Amino acid sequence: MTNQILVTGGTGRLGRALVPQLLSDGHTVRVLSRKPRSDELTWRGDLLTGEGLAEAVDGVGVIVHCATGNGRADIAGTSNLIQTATQAGRPHLIYVSIVGVGRVDMAYYRAKLACERLVERSSLPWTIQRTTQFHELIVWMCTSQRWLPMIVMPSGVSFQPVDAGEVAARLAVLVGAPPVGRAPDMGGPEVRPAADLARAYVRSRSGRQPVVSVPMPGAGIRGYREGGHLVPEHADGRITFEQFLAS
Ligand SMILES: NC(=O)c1ccc[n+]([C@@H]2O[C@H](COP(=O)([O-])OP(=O)(O)OC[C@H]3O[C@@H](n4cnc5c(N)ncnc54)[C@H](OP(=O)(O)O)[C@@H]3O)[C@@H](O)[C@H]2O)c1
């Protein structure tokens, strides 16, 4: 096996944390991106159209598949990636997924589950790493409401946010190991009510925006209320939300 690694989504939140770790581990890294080539790591390509994919996959020993778009496109993109990799020497495919994709009924989660099935049923050696929400997602939930008089969070819902850098460290270990199939899930260090996390965000910015918990409808929120996206038994991350906010 070569130490050439292809990272799809290497320009995204998780990918930007993973690529430097792989480089410092001594791997040669290719970053698949639809954007024009900006450095020697970038391989221009598009999972949806298939443009540049065969060249990017050629000769790699491991693919870490972090790319994501809207859910449905992920299925087509993952299918294209698997097809191309199957014709190119069957590298180890590591797919990043989300804790609870089979338990929380949301379109994006259904698409992620469908991608997992494609990976499992492929003839490639594979590993799937599910993680909980990244800290940045909680921040986004707050900042997207910054023009409102208050931040509204779903009542009865908790999150277990994890640091993307720590997820990247877990992926870097998987890159250096043989395929394991479903890897143990990875969650953040604390399970905390959504409103509690939002208040921590407001405090960290010395803001005054009140945070209110409101009952929200829908099957996805019900799945969240039931804790389908949580893995307290895998509270492996060490960096708390407050530590992330302070950094
Ligand atoms: N964010 C979370 O809280 C969270 C939690 C658990 C699991 N995950 C999973 O972790 C993975 C990474 O998430 P993220 O938040 O880091 O993603 P992100 O920041 O939204 O980045 C998405 C990436 O996908 C790439 N991409 C999208 N469509 C593409 C296409 N057609 N062809 C090639 N590349 C494409 C983009 O690259 P270019 O724009 O450069 O082309 C970009 O690098 C995803 O699988 C996600 O489901 C995320």
Side-chain angles (χ1 to χ4, degrees):
M1 183 180 284
T2 75
N3 69 345
Q4 294 253 5
I5 319 292
L6 176 68
V7 181
T8 77
T11 58
R13 263 178 301 268
L14 178 60
R16 285 197 304 273
L18 176 62
V19 168
Q21 296 206 30
L22 294 177
L23 291 171
S24 76
D25 288 347
H27 298 294
T28 304
V29 179
R30 302 176 182 178
V31 172
L32 187 79
S33 174
R34 294 162 298 179
K35 300 185 184 99
R37 191 183 169 105
S38 54
D39 56 44
E40 73 282 2
L41 299 183
T42 309
W43 288 61
R44 186 157 187 196
D46 190 323
L47 288 163
L48 277 185
T49 64
E51 177 208 340
L53 216 47
E55 296 81 354
V57 164
D58 185 42
V60 302
V62 182
I63 300 172
V64 189
H65 183 26
C66 303
T68 189
N70 72 34
R72 283 189 82 73
D74 286 4
I75 304 175
T78 301
S79 175
N80 284 341
L81 181 65
I82 288 172
Q83 208 178 346
T84 309
T86 304
Q87 289 159 3
R90 300 177 58 248
H92 176 192
L93 178 61
I94 300 175
Y95 180 59
V96 184
S97 190
I98 308 175
V99 168
V101 286
R103 296 192 296 239
V104 177
D105 187 14
M106 284 175 18
Y108 184 65
Y109 280 35
R110 284 196 294 275
K112 295 288 292 184
L113 188 62
C115 291
E116 286 193 4
R117 295 283 175 269
L118 289 175
V119 172
E120 290 165 0
R121 290 172 190 161
S122 75
S123 64
L124 301 173
W126 59 271
T127 298
I128 293 174
Q129 177 67 64
R130 291 182 178 179
T131 88
T132 55
Q133 285 65 46
F134 304 157
H135 291 310
E136 286 90 341
L137 190 74
I138 309 296
V139 169
W140 176 82
M141 289 170 80
C142 298
T143 55
S144 63
Q145 302 184 62
R146 65 188 171 282
W147 305 118
L148 302 179
M150 62 189 73
I151 295 179
V152 178
M153 284 293 188
S155 61
V157 170
S158 291
F159 288 103
Q160 188 182 354
V162 67
D163 188 78
E166 292 184 311
V167 175
R170 168 76 64 93
L171 292 173
V173 171
L174 293 173
V175 162
V180 297
R182 262 289 295 282
D185 292 347
M186 179 169 189
E190 303 174 318
V191 175
R192 292 175 52 186
D196 187 28
L197 291 164
R199 287 191 189 99
Y201 171 77
V202 172
R203 265 197 312 278
S204 76
R205 301 298 182 258
S206 306
R208 291 161 168 262
Q209 212 177 0
V211 175
V212 293
S213 294
V214 172
M216 291 185 189
I221 292 288
R222 189 167 61 244
Y224 275 172
R225 263 198 311 272
E226 290 165 357
H229 60 311
L230 305 174
V231 275
E233 68 281 18
H234 288 291
D236 304 328
R238 288 284 158 266
I239 300 175
T240 65
F241 188 56
E242 271 85 354
Q243 288 169 335
F244 166 79
L245 290 171
S247 65

